[in-house]
Amino acid sequence: MSEGAATETTRPTETTPATVTLSFREAMRAAMTEAMERDERVFLMGEDVGAYGGCYAVSMGMLDRFGPERVRDTPLSETAFVGAGIGAAMAGMRPIVEVMTVNFSLLALDQILNTAATVLHMSGGQCNVPLVIRMATGAGRQLAAQHSHSLEGWYAHIPGLRILAPATVEDARGMLGPALADPDPVLIFENAALYAMKAEIADPVEVDIAQAAVRRQGRDVSLITYGGSLHKTLSAAETLAEQGIDAEVLDLRVLRPLDDAAINGTVRKTHHAVLVDEGWRSGSLAAEVSARIVEGAFFDLDAPPARVCSEEVPIPYAKHMEEAALPQPDKIVAAVKAVLGADGTEGGDG
Amino acid sequence: MSEGAATETTRPTETTPATVTLSFREAMRAAMTEAMERDERVFLMGEDVGAYGGCYAVSMGMLDRFGPERVRDTPLSETAFVGAGIGAAMAGMRPIVEVMTVNFSLLALDQILNTAATVLHMSGGQCNVPLVIRMATGAGRQLAAQHSHSLEGWYAHIPGLRILAPATVEDARGMLGPALADPDPVLIFENAALYAMKAEIADPVEVDIAQAAVRRQGRDVSLITYGGSLHKTLSAAETLAEQGIDAEVLDLRVLRPLDDAAINGTVRKTHHAVLVDEGWRSGSLAAEVSARIVEGAFFDLDAPPARVCSEEVPIPYAKHMEEAALPQPDKIVAAVKAVLGADGTEGGDG
Amino acid sequence: MSDTVPLPTREHAHRLLERMVRIRRFEEACAELYQATKIRGFLHLYIGEEAVATGVMEALEPRDAIVATYREHGHALLRGTSAESIMAEMYGKQEGCSRGRGGSMHLYDDERRFYGGNAIVGGGIPLAVGLGLAEKLRGPGEDGYPVSACFFGEGAMAEGAFHESMNLAALWDLPVLFACENNRYAMGTALERSQSETDLTLKASAYRMPAWSVDGMDVLAVERAAKAAVDAIRHGGGPHFLELRTYRFRAHSMFDPELYREKDEVERWKERDPIALFRARLEEAGLLGEDDLAAIEKAAAEEVGRAIEFAENGTWEPVEQLVRFVTSEPEVTA
Amino acid sequence: MSDTVPLPTREHAHRLLERMVRIRRFEEACAELYQATKIRGFLHLYIGEEAVATGVMEALEPRDAIVATYREHGHALLRGTSAESIMAEMYGKQEGCSRGRGGSMHLYDDERRFYGGNAIVGGGIPLAVGLGLAEKLRGPGEDGYPVSACFFGEGAMAEGAFHESMNLAALWDLPVLFACENNRYAMGTALERSQSETDLTLKASAYRMPAWSVDGMDVLAVERAAKAAVDAIRHGGGPHFLELRTYRFRAHSMFDPELYREKDEVERWKERDPIALFRARLEEAGLLGEDDLAAIEKAAAEEVGRAIEFAENGTWEPVEQLVRFVTSEPEVTA
Ligand SMILES: Cc1ncc(C[n+]2csc(CCOP(=O)(O)OP(=O)(O)O)c2C)c(N)n1
Ligand SMILES: Cc1ncc(C[n+]2csc(CCOP(=O)(O)OP(=O)(O)O)c2C)c(N)n1
Ligand SMILES: [Mg+2]
Ligand SMILES: [Mg+2]
């Protein structure tokens, strides 16, 4: 957590977009800082976002910059402060509500589903909710069963929400702006394993919040994933490449609404799909992607889409057990080989 | 709600199982009554289960029979009374907790996911939670966006839970017993549209809580569904039969763990599948079933499995709009025809 | 606040009476229309509780915001949402105030800052806190803060959402009025069976929030308390809590066999009918003639009549529009 | 309850001191082992708060049940769960008290009725209510009720779960002890910034629950209050609430740069170190010789040593067993 506090990147002027090297965490912070400087209506609210600097140090330093009204620490009251974000949004503000982690967001789920996502509809189009909710998600840090959920797939089930899953520093830097400009509620899931990841990016940077992105071109198989799993998937793709299998990697980026064109596009190209998702397998987002592939590109498939998800077990504390529970590059590689083997077209020496 | 209060069925002796005509509501009540008579540890707790008789009159009369300790009205405190059910179960009781409807269960979801479903695992197998949670689910009664959810698919995502969806009077009568005998938490989703449905059944009746059930044999297509949608699906099957299409109808009954053998079995037989699910389409339980079919029976399929789900909109109040939002027999019929048409094997005159 | 409130001017007295009568007649019509299956879904009537909304609403200005529950027809009506559009909503017609999407439990009127109509018990309370937070962040105008007024039942006070919201509002000193409609029952659950401490003002005190208990059958008492509270809130006094003691004369909803209370109890409370009480007091003071009453009744009946006619003549939204209003449309978001 | 509690017998005094020292040394070892990456995940230390668990545990019997938070090593240790199995748990070894599945935040010991180790703030409180409900339903034994004791931080009191649970326990008169470990911070959030009313006992009063505020740095005061409360609860007096005022000397977890409080403040509180205070008092009264102290420290050090050795020698659960304990196995369910 040491890196979180110190670094503050110089901000380039608008006319000469420069590149900067940022961590994912710094990119989120830069995006929030920019938004709050630009628009008085934007404020940040959540548990320990202020004096503590954010439980993952994302908002470190922002309290000093913007003061306690706009970088607002909340009590441990997820229902109330998420609901308050909804109300403030309806009254014209542009709140960024940080729910520390998706694990605690269950305590606010009623507000998110039954108010934020539905009020526009229930009011016959009158009352929109321009709210952004950010939360950390994912496992992999030995935090055990209650602190390791990947429930973004649940949120992607809810009509009325836009669900984002930045997996790159660029998306961490760029997604917040359009999310705040969206008239409707947007949830941003930040895989906690990514916060320390660094990259050189243009800053400011423009990204869309509608489309998936091909992160690696390939011909043999489509690996479809998002968030923290992107990097495991890219690493699997490298391994596969060494073995002569050319994998395309699609980063969904937007979990709702899903980018069907991109999903079906890559599958039509490679005729094989492996879906990688840190959620538990049954009822995972990967299941939805699988169903959509089959509905949209069945006759293009040479083999059934395979899923690499978390095992159906509460995430265990012990490191070796946790690793075994989660998607890993070797499992992805094995799944690809099985898929390619299934129709006899397997390439390379696998 | 009038029927709820009055009827009390005579109970046959164990040696001569008789048949009785019961409504779904009465069947649930008979099951609870039997369980409470047999086992002192069983008690019923929830909002308005006592003096009011249950918001759907399921427990009508039970307060008089068992008294306020064992038919326990709770304040509007879903987190606390569901959590209290978990604690009481861990301390050796066998609670039946009624959460009025799935809509309000979100307020208790943290307790269900982070405690009930995980404590056995987090304790390394020491502490099991023999708890039954019942709730009404489903739309179709013009109750609008906040009171019409079908979120059982979410619960089916959670390792550690068994999820039941009785769709027949027999299952309403028979599922509670084995659910209470299960050492782990079991959730029972009762589609509110079914409460008034009557049928003649054996009483007492033994049913399992592990397997799906074929409710109609057929050769041309497998219609896979559960809960309130079963009856719409059966009605669609009748319509299809008139048109020369012989549909098999599989009632999942158990949403977690899913009965893969039954799912793949019917698909291997008919080579076509249509999945009917009252949940919103994206991220529906039907997506999981689709993914499993493809994973388990891809090369047996003549066409991609199709889904008939709810439209991706908060359920509207107006009757015609609500009907349009939900799965209906005509949509099922149309989906079957599309699936059969997809591979050119469509039967009948459709 | 339990001494008798002096009578207001004749004009204001008539206004209050008229407003209560309008709610009563509207609700009675709803009950009939439910029997006639014109209105469907869940329907919760405010009959017996009219003095509460009437008194509190007197304290609110157009710039103030309101959040209510599923028992909110009267609140919307008094806020100025037309009876026509409310009734059309309950018919499910697209001329309804929520386009027929919401129904009885979800009346909305953005223009009048009427933010529902919430059917999750306690679910609207955090929302009201957020409306207040927005005002706090913007700072008070010359004339103080716009106030966010939240109505909820005493049953909602057992929910965690209530507790968290009270603390947040008090901690942050937000301009929020918490108006508890204590009608003694949450569905079939009497207050004594849902709260270990039945003096509800003590709960507010646990958050250091000023709290008054008021006779919710006395429209003048409600009005006085609400005005005092709203005045304080508006000028930086922070959130206030009002317990408005009332009673629901009808069933909880149209599905309720009312097994949980004695007829006698209902009858005793009916002796404290807020409309009858106020009317009697006005008559006694010579502030209400037979003509006045007839005029009030006539206006109320006409309003209901117009509303029904409007709803009957309303149109069904085309099914093709089903998936509208899931996300904002360009014109909405401009 | 703020007068000085008279000293107990020498034997009992030694017992209390020893128990506090055992926690302290165990926690210090944990901190080092975390630095050495033997322990991973989140680690929350109880250093500074030892008098709270020590005093409260004195009031509990084997038949009583305990629910604690992620800051629960000390509670488990005093309950009788072996230091070996606790340390092995934190190492992730299958000899751990939760088989390595739970880690630091999820210590369990069913045999001793120690029901976790809960990492959702406030999440254990409803559970404790349910444990109490089971006893209420079964009725008191000859010797009264088994008591369900729930530990939680003052930060948890802002959660809806706390509020709902307090009401339920009070309404139903359940044998539950609510033990609030008020260490003044919830991560980086000071009590004043999380509660509008910082007198926490007033919150309990809003549920009609007896509530006492106790110096949580004075083990005798804690013990006396806990015994009085547990005695009352056990014999049908219903739930009680204790606010135990203490302070966390270390960071919230191992990831906390402690930007939210002054070093000075921490130093001032360290002057009230519960172990040092008690030791000084015993020494002054001639109840503690140098040998006694050395023996206590030696025993504690040995316990820690044994625990580390056990954990080091522990074994990894085979990965093949990954999906065990998701549902009960036949032998578990017999
Ligand atoms: C969270 C939640 N739980 C349960 C219900 C079902 N329900 C609807 S109204 C009601 C009673 C509410 O009582 P109260 O808050 O006193 O309001 P009143 O109806 O008396 O005006 C209940 C239990 C609900 N709508 N929401
Ligand atoms: C519901 C929930 N929200 C947030 C967190 C993150 N978190 C863990 S501990 C903690 C502070 C809790 O403070 P307190 O209850 O006072 O206990 P203490 O740590 O001081 O012992 C927070 C915010 C959590 N674990 N659960
Ligand atoms: Mg009420
Ligand atoms: Mg604390």
Side-chain angles (χ1 to χ4, degrees):
Chain A
M1 204 121 296
S2 52
E3 123 217 48
T7 329
E8 193 60 59
T9 57
T10 50
R11 321 229 20 274
T13 68
E14 303 244 337
T15 44
T16 55
T19 66
V20 288
T21 299
L22 293 178
S23 69
F24 191 96
R25 167 186 293 118
E26 290 162 344
M28 287 300 320
R29 187 188 308 143
M32 291 197 287
T33 302
E34 178 187 52
M36 287 178 64
E37 278 172 354
R38 284 220 179 136
D39 186 344
E40 278 205 326
R41 299 171 306 170
V42 178
F43 66 101
L44 173 66
M45 161 164 76
E47 289 163 15
D48 287 308
V49 295
Y52 194 94
C55 85
Y56 289 106
V58 173
S59 51
M60 190 71 77
M62 288 180 63
L63 174 65
D64 289 344
R65 187 142 176 178
F66 296 104
E69 292 287 309
R70 292 183 72 200
V71 177
R72 182 172 286 263
D73 277 325
T74 68
L76 276 144
S77 304
E78 288 80 2
T79 295
F81 72 75
V82 171
I86 299 169
M90 285 172 70
M93 303 300 287
R94 292 292 178 275
I96 305 171
V97 175
E98 177 178 310
V99 179
M100 268 188 191
T101 75
V102 68
N103 311 290
F104 319 140
S105 76
L106 298 179
L107 297 166
L109 183 50
D110 168 67
Q111 287 293 318
I112 297 172
L113 170 52
N114 280 319
T115 307
T118 47
V119 75
L120 177 71
H121 181 264
M122 294 192 302
S123 67
Q126 289 178 84
C127 304
N128 63 308
V129 181
L131 169 69
V132 172
I133 302 177
R134 297 175 40 238
M135 56 185 105
T137 188
R141 288 158 303 127
Q142 287 193 255
L143 302 183
Q146 295 181 330
H147 273 58
S148 302
H149 295 301
S150 293
L151 295 170
E152 48 276 7
W154 274 4
Y155 288 95
H157 181 53
I158 305 176
L161 302 182
R162 180 178 298 275
I163 309 297
L164 306 181
T168 65
V169 175
E170 189 175 58
D171 276 350
R173 179 66 183 86
M175 279 181 160
L176 184 70
L180 282 165
D182 193 309
D184 301 314
V186 178
L187 273 58
I188 305 182
F189 287 89
E190 303 163 18
N191 192 297
L194 301 181
Y195 281 127
M197 177 180 70
K198 294 197 178 212
E200 192 178 334
I201 60 164
D203 183 1
V205 63
E206 272 191 33
V207 305
D208 74 88
I209 54 168
Q211 293 177 350
V214 174
R215 299 294 185 195
R216 185 184 196 286
Q217 299 275 354
R219 280 167 298 117
D220 296 334
V221 60
S222 299
L223 308 184
I224 304 178
T225 188
Y226 69 90
S229 299
L230 173 63
H231 306 280
K232 293 176 179 179
T233 305
L234 286 169
S235 134
E238 287 314 307
T239 305
L240 288 165
E242 287 162 20
Q243 302 176 16
I245 299 172
D246 187 21
E248 178 145 308
V249 176
L250 184 71
D251 173 6
L252 290 170
R253 298 180 69 249
V254 186
L255 308 188
R256 185 182 186 94
L258 282 169
D259 183 351
D260 282 316
I263 293 170
N264 289 325
T266 182
V267 172
R268 291 210 183 93
K269 176 175 165 193
T270 68
H271 311 295
H272 300 88
V274 172
L275 320 174
V276 185
D277 178 355
E278 202 174 305
W280 289 306
R281 181 186 187 88
S282 290
S284 56
L285 187 82
E288 176 62 28
V289 175
S290 174
R292 287 185 183 223
I293 289 174
V294 169
E295 284 156 8
F298 183 73
F299 295 105
D300 293 297
L301 284 170
D302 289 339
R307 289 184 282 169
V308 180
C309 298
S310 283
E311 299 295 327
E312 312 234 17
V313 58
I315 305 300
Y317 163 70
K319 188 176 168 64
H320 65 301
M321 299 295 266
E322 181 181 42
E323 280 175 1
L326 302 177
Q328 303 295 355
D330 58 343
K331 294 190 201 179
I332 301 169
V333 168
V336 167
K337 291 189 181 175
V339 162
L340 293 179
D343 66 340
T345 63
E346 180 177 359
D349 59 6
Chain B
M1 207 119 297
S2 53
E3 125 218 44
T7 329
E8 193 59 56
T9 57
T10 50
R11 321 229 22 270
T13 68
E14 302 245 335
T15 45
T16 57
T19 68
V20 289
T21 299
L22 293 178
S23 68
F24 190 96
R25 169 186 290 117
E26 290 162 345
M28 286 301 318
R29 187 188 308 142
M32 290 197 287
T33 302
E34 179 188 50
M36 288 178 64
E37 278 171 352
R38 284 220 180 137
D39 186 345
E40 278 204 325
R41 299 171 305 171
V42 177
F43 67 100
L44 172 66
M45 162 164 77
E47 289 162 16
D48 286 308
V49 295
Y52 195 93
C55 85
Y56 290 106
V58 173
S59 51
M60 191 71 80
M62 287 179 63
L63 173 65
D64 290 344
R65 190 143 173 177
F66 296 104
E69 292 285 310
R70 292 184 71 201
V71 177
R72 181 171 286 262
D73 278 326
T74 68
L76 276 144
S77 305
E78 287 81 2
T79 294
F81 72 76
V82 170
I86 298 168
M90 284 172 71
M93 302 300 287
R94 291 292 178 274
I96 304 171
V97 175
E98 178 179 308
V99 179
M100 269 188 187
T101 76
V102 68
N103 312 290
F104 318 140
S105 75
L106 299 180
L107 297 167
L109 183 50
D110 168 66
Q111 288 292 317
I112 297 172
L113 170 52
N114 279 319
T115 308
T118 49
V119 75
L120 178 70
H121 182 264
M122 293 191 302
S123 68
Q126 289 177 85
C127 305
N128 63 309
V129 181
L131 168 70
V132 171
I133 303 177
R134 296 175 41 239
M135 56 185 105
T137 187
R141 289 157 303 129
Q142 286 193 255
L143 302 183
Q146 294 181 330
H147 273 57
S148 300
H149 295 302
S150 293
L151 295 171
E152 47 277 7
W154 274 4
Y155 288 95
H157 181 53
I158 305 176
L161 302 182
R162 181 178 297 275
I163 309 297
L164 306 180
T168 65
V169 175
E170 191 176 55
D171 275 349
R173 179 67 184 86
M175 278 181 160
L176 183 70
L180 283 165
D182 193 310
D184 301 314
V186 178
L187 272 59
I188 304 182
F189 288 89
E190 304 164 16
N191 192 296
L194 301 181
Y195 281 127
M197 176 179 72
K198 292 195 180 214
E200 193 179 333
I201 59 164
D203 184 0
V205 64
E206 274 191 30
V207 305
D208 74 88
I209 54 170
Q211 293 178 349
V214 174
R215 300 294 185 196
R216 186 184 195 284
Q217 299 274 354
R219 280 166 300 119
D220 295 336
V221 60
S222 299
L223 308 183
I224 304 178
T225 187
Y226 69 90
S229 299
L230 173 63
H231 307 280
K232 293 176 177 177
T233 305
L234 286 168
S235 134
E238 289 312 308
T239 305
L240 289 164
E242 287 162 20
Q243 301 176 19
I245 298 172
D246 187 19
E248 179 144 306
V249 177
L250 184 72
D251 172 7
L252 290 170
R253 299 180 70 247
V254 185
L255 309 187
R256 184 182 187 95
L258 283 168
D259 182 352
D260 282 315
I263 293 170
N264 289 325
T266 182
V267 173
R268 291 213 181 92
K269 177 176 164 190
T270 68
H271 311 294
H272 300 88
V274 172
L275 320 174
V276 186
D277 179 353
E278 202 174 301
W280 289 305
R281 182 187 187 87
S282 290
S284 56
L285 187 80
E288 176 62 29
V289 176
S290 173
R292 286 183 184 226
I293 289 173
V294 169
E295 284 155 6
F298 184 73
F299 296 104
D300 293 297
L301 284 170
D302 288 340
R307 288 184 284 170
V308 181
C309 298
S310 282
E311 300 294 328
E312 312 234 18
V313 59
I315 305 301
Y317 164 70
K319 188 177 169 61
H320 64 301
M321 298 295 267
E322 181 181 40
E323 280 174 0
L326 303 177
Q328 303 294 355
D330 57 344
K331 294 191 201 177
I332 301 169
V333 167
V336 167
K337 291 188 181 174
V339 162
L340 293 179
D343 65 339
T345 63
E346 182 175 0
D349 58 9
Chain C
M1 293 233 156
S2 62
D3 52 322
T4 309
V5 182
L7 282 168
T9 63
R10 183 182 191 98
E11 194 190 341
H12 188 64
H14 286 194
R15 172 184 161 90
L16 294 176
L17 183 63
E18 189 205 20
R19 288 164 77 84
M20 291 197 288
V21 168
R22 283 171 60 205
I23 298 178
R24 177 72 54 95
R25 301 302 165 236
F26 189 86
E27 295 290 60
E28 286 167 349
C30 288
E32 283 175 32
L33 292 163
Y34 197 88
Q35 300 305 340
T37 74
K38 295 287 187 181
I39 300 176
R40 299 277 70 199
F42 284 155
L43 179 73
H44 308 85
L45 302 178
Y46 203 58
I47 293 175
E49 311 186 32
E50 295 90 344
V52 173
T54 303
V56 174
M57 287 293 186
E58 285 304 306
L60 300 179
E61 301 174 6
R63 59 178 166 149
D64 299 329
I66 295 163
V67 177
T69 71
Y70 44 84
R71 199 181 296 288
E72 89 288 32
H73 311 161
H75 307 70
L77 198 62
L78 298 195
R79 185 60 178 180
T81 308
S82 74
E84 284 90 336
S85 72
I86 298 173
M87 191 60 86
E89 185 59 34
M90 289 195 266
Y91 271 63
K93 300 290 178 77
Q94 61 181 328
E95 293 79 8
C97 60
S98 305
R99 275 189 161 259
R101 301 272 175 156
S104 159
M105 302 199 289
H106 304 299
L107 305 177
Y108 279 85
D109 190 342
D110 189 40
E111 200 184 314
R112 291 180 182 80
R113 306 205 73 206
F114 190 83
Y115 297 121
N118 199 307
I120 301 297
V121 171
I125 310 179
L127 195 72
V129 171
L131 294 165
L133 174 59
E135 301 309 338
K136 180 81 181 184
L137 283 165
R138 285 192 280 250
E142 262 182 40
D143 223 12
Y145 288 107
V147 170
S148 160
C150 185
F151 294 89
F152 52 87
E154 88 297 339
M157 290 179 62
E159 290 283 4
F162 167 77
H163 162 78
E164 296 185 5
S165 300
M166 291 287 283
N167 184 43
L168 227 58
L171 182 69
W172 293 344
D173 225 26
L174 304 182
V176 180
L177 174 68
F178 293 88
C180 172
E181 304 179 311
N182 178 7
N183 61 10
R184 309 192 95 81
Y185 289 90
M187 286 188 60
T189 305
L191 178 59
E192 304 74 52
R193 292 193 300 110
S194 85
Q195 289 285 354
S196 55
E197 172 60 75
T198 54
D199 180 344
L200 301 178
T201 59
L202 290 182
K203 296 187 187 292
S205 305
Y207 308 98
R208 277 186 184 258
M209 196 187 293
W212 308 320
S213 184
V214 184
D215 179 358
M217 295 313 215
D218 178 350
V219 67
L220 295 177
V222 176
E223 182 185 22
R224 182 175 66 175
K227 283 189 165 160
V230 167
D231 194 56
I233 297 165
R234 200 179 293 295
H235 297 104
H240 281 57
F241 175 92
L242 294 180
E243 181 203 354
L244 305 151
R245 301 189 172 194
T246 182
Y247 198 81
R248 139 167 87 62
F249 290 174
R250 299 282 183 111
H252 166 73
S253 72
M254 306 307 282
F255 288 108
D256 168 10
E258 288 185 82
L259 305 173
Y260 49 83
R261 60 183 186 183
E262 302 294 332
K263 282 245 162 69
D264 265 17
E265 180 186 297
V266 181
E267 290 314 313
R268 272 198 314 280
W269 273 95
K270 282 190 176 164
E271 286 163 22
R272 303 212 60 239
D273 182 324
I275 296 178
L277 280 185
F278 191 52
R279 194 180 123 183
R281 210 175 146 203
L282 295 183
E283 281 169 350
E284 203 175 307
L287 286 175
L288 187 76
E290 261 181 41
D291 292 0
D292 299 325
L293 191 63
I296 285 172
E297 287 288 1
K298 182 153 175 281
E302 282 173 3
E303 182 175 56
V304 170
R306 279 196 311 274
I308 295 174
E309 197 189 327
F310 181 81
E312 289 282 349
N313 292 332
T315 56
W316 303 115
E317 191 177 6
V319 168
E320 295 66 46
Q321 296 191 10
L322 177 61
V323 295
R324 281 186 69 186
F325 313 123
V326 178
T327 52
S328 293
E329 295 171 7
E331 64 275 18
V332 175
T333 74
Chain D
M1 294 231 156
S2 61
D3 52 321
T4 308
V5 183
L7 282 168
T9 63
R10 182 182 191 97
E11 194 192 339
H12 188 64
H14 285 194
R15 174 184 159 89
L16 294 177
L17 182 63
E18 189 204 20
R19 287 162 79 83
M20 291 198 289
V21 169
R22 282 173 60 206
I23 298 179
R24 178 72 53 97
R25 300 305 165 235
F26 190 86
E27 295 291 58
E28 286 167 349
C30 288
E32 282 176 32
L33 292 163
Y34 198 89
Q35 299 306 342
T37 74
K38 296 287 186 178
I39 300 177
R40 300 275 70 198
F42 284 155
L43 178 72
H44 308 85
L45 303 179
Y46 203 57
I47 293 175
E49 309 185 34
E50 294 90 343
V52 172
T54 304
V56 173
M57 286 294 183
E58 286 303 306
L60 301 178
E61 301 174 6
R63 59 178 165 151
D64 299 329
I66 295 163
V67 177
T69 71
Y70 45 84
R71 200 181 295 288
E72 89 288 31
H73 310 161
H75 308 70
L77 198 61
L78 298 195
R79 184 61 176 179
T81 307
S82 74
E84 284 90 336
S85 72
I86 297 173
M87 191 60 85
E89 185 59 34
M90 290 193 266
Y91 270 62
K93 300 290 177 78
Q94 60 181 331
E95 292 77 9
C97 60
S98 304
R99 273 189 163 260
R101 301 273 175 155
S104 159
M105 303 199 289
H106 305 300
L107 305 178
Y108 280 86
D109 190 342
D110 190 39
E111 200 184 312
R112 293 179 181 80
R113 305 205 72 205
F114 190 82
Y115 298 121
N118 200 307
I120 301 297
V121 172
I125 310 179
L127 195 72
V129 170
L131 294 165
L133 174 59
E135 302 309 337
K136 181 82 179 183
L137 283 164
R138 285 193 279 251
E142 262 182 39
D143 222 14
Y145 288 107
V147 170
S148 158
C150 186
F151 294 89
F152 51 88
E154 87 298 337
M157 290 179 63
E159 291 283 2
F162 167 77
H163 162 80
E164 295 185 6
S165 299
M166 291 287 283
N167 184 42
L168 226 58
L171 182 68
W172 293 345
D173 224 23
L174 304 182
V176 181
L177 173 69
F178 292 89
C180 172
E181 304 179 311
N182 177 7
N183 61 11
R184 310 190 95 84
Y185 288 89
M187 285 187 60
T189 304
L191 178 61
E192 304 74 51
R193 293 193 299 111
S194 86
Q195 289 285 353
S196 55
E197 171 59 74
T198 54
D199 181 344
L200 302 178
T201 59
L202 289 181
K203 298 192 184 288
S205 305
Y207 307 98
R208 278 187 184 259
M209 195 186 295
W212 308 320
S213 184
V214 184
D215 178 358
M217 295 313 214
D218 178 350
V219 66
L220 296 176
V222 175
E223 181 185 25
R224 182 175 67 176
K227 283 189 165 161
V230 167
D231 193 57
I233 297 166
R234 202 180 291 296
H235 298 102
H240 282 57
F241 175 94
L242 294 181
E243 180 204 354
L244 305 152
R245 302 191 172 192
T246 183
Y247 197 80
R248 143 168 83 62
F249 291 175
R250 299 283 183 110
H252 166 72
S253 72
M254 305 307 282
F255 287 107
D256 167 9
E258 288 183 83
L259 304 173
Y260 48 83
R261 60 183 186 184
E262 301 294 330
K263 281 244 164 69
D264 266 16
E265 180 185 296
V266 182
E267 291 312 315
R268 272 199 312 280
W269 274 95
K270 283 191 176 164
E271 286 163 22
R272 303 213 60 241
D273 182 323
I275 295 178
L277 280 185
F278 191 52
R279 195 181 122 181
R281 211 177 144 202
L282 294 184
E283 283 169 350
E284 201 174 309
L287 286 174
L288 187 77
E290 261 182 39
D291 291 0
D292 298 327
L293 191 65
I296 286 173
E297 287 289 2
K298 181 155 176 279
E302 282 173 4
E303 182 175 56
V304 169
R306 279 194 312 275
I308 296 175
E309 196 190 328
F310 182 82
E312 288 283 349
N313 292 331
T315 56
W316 303 114
E317 193 178 5
V319 169
E320 296 64 45
Q321 298 191 8
L322 176 62
V323 295
R324 282 186 69 186
F325 314 121
V326 178
T327 53
S328 293
E329 297 172 6
E331 64 278 15
V332 176
T333 75

